[in-house]
Amino acid sequence: MSRALTETLLDLSELTVLTEAATGAYAVTAVLAAMAGARRVYAFTKPTRHGTPGDARQQTLELADSVGVADRIDVLEQITPDILNQTDIVTNSGHLRPLTAALIDKLPREAVIALMFEAWEFRPEDLDMEACLRRGIPIVGVNERHPAVDVFSFLGPLCVKQLHDCGLSVYKNRIAVLCDNDFVGSLRAGLASSGASVDTFDNVQAVYRDEWDAIIVALRPAAEPRIGSPEATHLAACAPPGATIVQFWGDMDRTILSANGLGVWPTAPPALGHMGILLSDIGPEPIVRLQAGGLRAAEWVRRRRTVSSDGFAQIVTQPPDPAFANSH
């Protein structure tokens, strides 16, 4: 965490941050904000499948205490108008979502919302875009490919971990990567460096018949599953019986895939629009870097600094195409 703060130059002095108190690797977000000198950090928590509010409070404050900033963090189960009125940065974090118009309308006009991932990955269901536009409150994505953040470089190892989990060696495996977005280079490089034979395709119909051990699906989620009946039929014709369709990103109709004789991984479906494996599954490092970068991007815009293509911050200026709408 200290290394991430040094590399991003995150400085939240004189700023108040509203984020989440969470469990596991995501406990770092509130603590990073406090370590970066935030005047006050309000960390909201609620019951989730990852833990109780008590779990989130304990893990967040234990981590904060270990670095001497617990006194700057208030863990909350209710967000009052008084807190919103003084908040400079709100993070688009799981416990806070959705960020409603009622919440956004109580923020100061100079406040910003930290998207905590890249602008093109914006999900309309996460927050009220119209309320932000009406209030003039920026939604700030983070350049995950900035050298101080570099989260995209973890996508390859993450995909390798997913394949290992489903019982494939990766080394000497024949892998098709079905990807229509900026993840493709990182996925190809990660798999190839682990010894896989990799071909990439930007649409289902481009996939050809081969002795695939697995087909990785990494497609931008849309209103309908990216792998439905015609797609499943095509993939079944291109792969040996029992080949595994691995859901990295992009919704799939698992029943139809199974009916076509294909294996599906992971066995439990992720939430709609979310990835099939969490970045934290390969350790806290990518989460620490992502959260520090997300806060740095928001701080940059909150301090009215110039946004450039090679900097930390990306501005979500209008609702994106629905095909771009879902990810983390």
Side-chain angles (χ1 to χ4, degrees), residues 209-271:
R209 183 168 181 79
D210 206 328
E211 291 300 309
W212 306 114
D213 294 292
I215 297 174
I216 308 292
V217 173
L219 299 170
R220 293 170 174 163
E224 299 295 327
R226 294 305 308 273
I227 306 297
S229 184
E231 294 82 10
T233 300
H234 180 78
L235 294 179
C238 292
T244 303
I245 309 300
V246 178
Q247 184 178 8
F248 189 80
W249 186 37
D251 304 318
M252 311 190 311
D253 189 322
R254 291 159 166 264
T255 302
I256 289 174
L257 284 166
S258 297
N260 277 274
L262 296 165
V264 181
W265 188 267
T267 54

Side-chain angles (χ1 to χ4, degrees), residues 262-305:
L262 296 165
V264 181
W265 188 267
T267 54
L272 290 176
H274 287 246
M275 292 175 69
I277 184 170
L278 298 174
L279 273 170
S280 55
D281 286 349
I282 55 172
E285 179 76 17
I287 301 302
V288 171
R289 298 176 73 92
L290 180 61
Q291 303 308 90
L295 290 168
R296 176 62 162 145
E299 178 225 331
W300 189 268
V301 174
R302 172 61 182 80
R303 298 196 192 280
R304 303 296 187 259
R305 292 174 177 155

Side-chain angles (χ1 to χ4, degrees), residues 22-315:
T23 55
Y26 286 92
V28 305
T29 313
V31 184
L32 281 167
M35 290 172 70
R39 176 171 48 202
R40 200 76 205 156
V41 180
Y42 295 105
F44 176 73
T45 186
K46 63 185 180 183
T48 71
R49 62 188 178 90
H50 299 294
T52 66
D55 295 331
R57 174 185 296 274
Q58 179 181 355
Q59 292 185 36
T60 299
L61 292 180
E62 281 183 356
L63 184 60
D65 188 59
S66 74
V67 290
V69 297
D71 61 331
R72 300 237 286 282
I73 300 174
D74 290 323
V75 178
L76 315 166
E77 293 184 52
Q78 183 175 1
I79 303 170
T80 64
D82 179 60
I83 289 170
L84 294 173
N85 291 340
Q86 59 181 291
T87 294
D88 296 287
I89 294 172
V90 182
T91 66
N92 174 43
S93 300
H95 287 184
L96 287 168
R97 294 196 292 257
L99 299 178
T100 63
L103 181 151
I104 292 163
D105 283 344
K106 293 182 176 64
L107 295 172
R109 286 202 171 272
E110 63 270 17
V112 302
I113 292 173
L115 194 61
M116 307 304 277
F117 40 79
E118 292 209 342
W120 65 275
E121 300 174 276
F122 175 82
R123 295 186 295 245
E125 65 268 25
D126 280 2
L127 60 92
D128 193 314
M129 167 73 79
E130 292 304 319
C132 291
L133 292 171
R134 173 166 44 80
R135 295 289 318 286
I137 291 176
I139 302 167
V140 185
V142 55
N143 177 9
E144 295 182 25
R145 286 162 277 194
H146 189 285
V149 184
D150 197 22
V151 172
F152 267 44
S153 292
F154 290 92
L155 295 174
L158 186 66
C159 190
V160 169
K161 166 73 161 66
Q162 194 177 30
L163 289 166
H164 286 169
D165 288 347
C166 80
L168 290 170
S169 65
V170 182
Y171 181 68
K172 298 297 185 184
N173 282 159
R174 183 81 174 108
I175 309 280
V177 176
L178 185 52
C179 185
D180 62 355
N181 55 75
D182 289 353
F183 290 175
V184 65
S186 300
L187 294 176
R188 182 199 299 114
L191 292 165
S193 68
S194 291
S197 171
V198 184
D199 279 355
T200 61
F201 307 91
D202 61 8
N203 68 88
V204 173
Q205 295 305 315
V207 179
Y208 53 76
R209 183 168 181 79
D210 206 328
E211 291 300 309
W212 306 114
D213 294 292
I215 297 174
I216 308 292
V217 173
L219 299 170
R220 293 170 174 163
E224 299 295 327
R226 294 305 308 273
I227 306 297
S229 184
E231 294 82 10
T233 300
H234 180 78
L235 294 179
C238 292
T244 303
I245 309 300
V246 178
Q247 184 178 8
F248 189 80
W249 186 37
D251 304 318
M252 311 190 311
D253 189 322
R254 291 159 166 264
T255 302
I256 289 174
L257 284 166
S258 297
N260 277 274
L262 296 165
V264 181
W265 188 267
T267 54
L272 290 176
H274 287 246
M275 292 175 69
I277 184 170
L278 298 174
L279 273 170
S280 55
D281 286 349
I282 55 172
E285 179 76 17
I287 301 302
V288 171
R289 298 176 73 92
L290 180 61
Q291 303 308 90
L295 290 168
R296 176 62 162 145
E299 178 225 331
W300 189 268
V301 174
R302 172 61 182 80
R303 298 196 192 280
R304 303 296 187 259
R305 292 174 177 155
T306 302
V307 174
S308 62
S309 60
D310 60 351
F312 286 97
Q314 301 174 340
I315 303 296

